Amino acid sequence: MGNTLHGGETGFHTRIWKFEQFESPKAGVKLTYTSANGEEGFPGTLSVAVSYSLTDTDELVMDFEATTDAPTHVNLTNHTFWNLSDWQAGNDALDMELTLAADRYTEVDSTLIPTGKLLAVEGTDLDFRTPCTIGKRYKTVDKNGYDHCLVLTDMEENLKSQPPQQREVGTLVDSKSGRGFKLLTTQPAVQVYGGGFLPKATIMGGKDIDRWYCLCLEAQHLPDTPNHPAFPTTVLRPGEAYKHTTTHQFFHRA
């Protein structure tokens, strides 16, 4: 069965992007890429811009923008791997504590393709509405740990706003170091991925690490929307502007 995970075999992460730096009103870099009509099977010429910026209040801000000349599907996110502990010591991500305002998740089949059903997190290993360490339930949620799309509780209400409003949806904090961040986004869902499909690797300093070394919190629309009309649409049409923002507000907890 085919899919377009990460945008297809040659997704945007494999492409060479143009970039420009900026310093006002915040410092950062803007990346731009033009996806030709038919690339990876998607119609339309898609012009994409992603800006990464740092603020004076300890924020990392990601702004995603896109326009098209033909109706097409767009669902952009980031794939940042977070380890807020002492990575040089080889500490894994299992002691990090996640809180996420998500009351449902997308059910998937054996190949991780959504079935179209949104199921309640109540009583499952996917309930992070109250703080829980990643390591507490990662072995029981699935043999590969966390790789689930969690639907934010206010999804329907927030999508009524045009554009959708950025709001605080979760927190990730490391119990050992006290380092953490608040997650804010305009997006309706967050893919929680614990690195269960990553191979063993050697990091800086020659330290060998295994799976569960990091955690991704990928703010995005629901996956596989073209095949599930009940999901919020990801169609972008000519004359419309795709705009979403995800912000990480860093803090230290004593």
Side-chain angles (χ1 to χ4, degrees):
M1 179 182 294
N3 61 68
T4 53
L5 178 66
H6 300 159
E9 292 185 4
T10 53
F12 286 175
H13 62 296
T14 70
R15 304 294 182 170
I16 303 299
W17 294 57
K18 296 180 180 179
F19 76 94
E20 58 179 304
Q21 294 176 275
F22 56 87
E23 296 183 359
S24 180
K26 46 194 175 185
V29 59
K30 182 177 183 178
L31 308 175
T32 56
Y33 176 70
T34 300
S35 177
N37 178 37
E39 183 177 310
E40 288 297 325
F42 289 91
T45 301
L46 186 73
S47 300
V48 185
V50 182
S51 296
Y52 296 84
S53 55
L54 299 174
T55 73
D56 292 334
T57 52
D58 300 323
E59 295 175 321
L60 170 62
V61 183
M62 305 175 184
D63 292 304
F64 303 84
E65 301 176 79
T67 57
T68 182
D69 61 6
T72 192
H73 284 274
V74 184
N75 190 6
L76 304 175
T77 187
N78 78 94
H79 208 291
T80 306
F81 286 98
W82 296 102
N83 184 326
L84 301 175
S85 186
D86 185 356
W87 63 269
Q88 291 178 313
N91 290 347
D92 56 36
L94 300 182
D95 286 329
M96 292 196 299
E97 183 183 88
L98 176 64
T99 308
L100 200 60
D103 61 357
R104 291 159 291 170
Y105 68 97
T106 56
E107 181 187 58
V108 296
D109 62 22
S110 60
T111 63
L112 301 184
I113 301 298
T115 65
K117 295 181 180 180
L118 301 182
L119 304 181
V121 301
E122 181 77 34
T124 75
D125 293 333
L126 298 172
D127 192 349
F128 287 97
R129 291 174 297 174
T130 56
C132 183
T133 60
I134 299 301
K136 183 176 181 179
R137 302 180 299 211
Y138 83 104
K139 287 186 176 180
T140 56
V141 67
D142 183 86
K143 64 180 181 180
N144 291 306
Y146 287 103
D147 192 9
H148 299 78
C149 183
L150 302 188
V151 181
L152 297 173
T153 302
D154 67 349
M155 176 180 74
E156 290 84 359
E157 187 64 28
N158 196 52
L159 287 175
K160 292 179 183 178
S161 303
Q162 291 300 323
Q165 299 301 300
Q166 185 172 218
R167 71 285 194 211
E168 182 180 334
V169 300
T171 303
L172 185 68
V173 62
D174 177 61
S175 60
K176 294 179 179 178
S177 68
R179 289 187 287 265
F181 62 77
K182 295 179 180 180
L183 180 66
L184 297 85
T185 188
T186 58
Q187 294 278 19
V190 175
Q191 185 81 17
V192 178
Y193 175 52
F197 294 98
L198 294 178
K200 292 183 178 181
T202 301
I203 60 174
M204 293 173 61
K207 181 71 176 181
D208 292 330
I209 60 171
D210 205 343
R211 301 184 299 175
W212 329 121
Y213 181 73
C214 49
L215 184 74
C216 289
L217 298 176
E218 306 162 38
Q220 59 178 48
H221 257 260
L222 276 59
D224 201 30
T225 56
N227 297 309
H228 302 292
F231 286 2
T233 184
T234 54
V235 173
L236 181 68
R237 303 183 184 280
E240 298 177 344
Y242 175 100
K243 290 186 177 182
H244 278 287
T245 298
T246 294
T247 300
H248 301 78
Q249 293 181 343
F250 294 95
F251 63 84
H252 181 264
R253 187 170 71 184

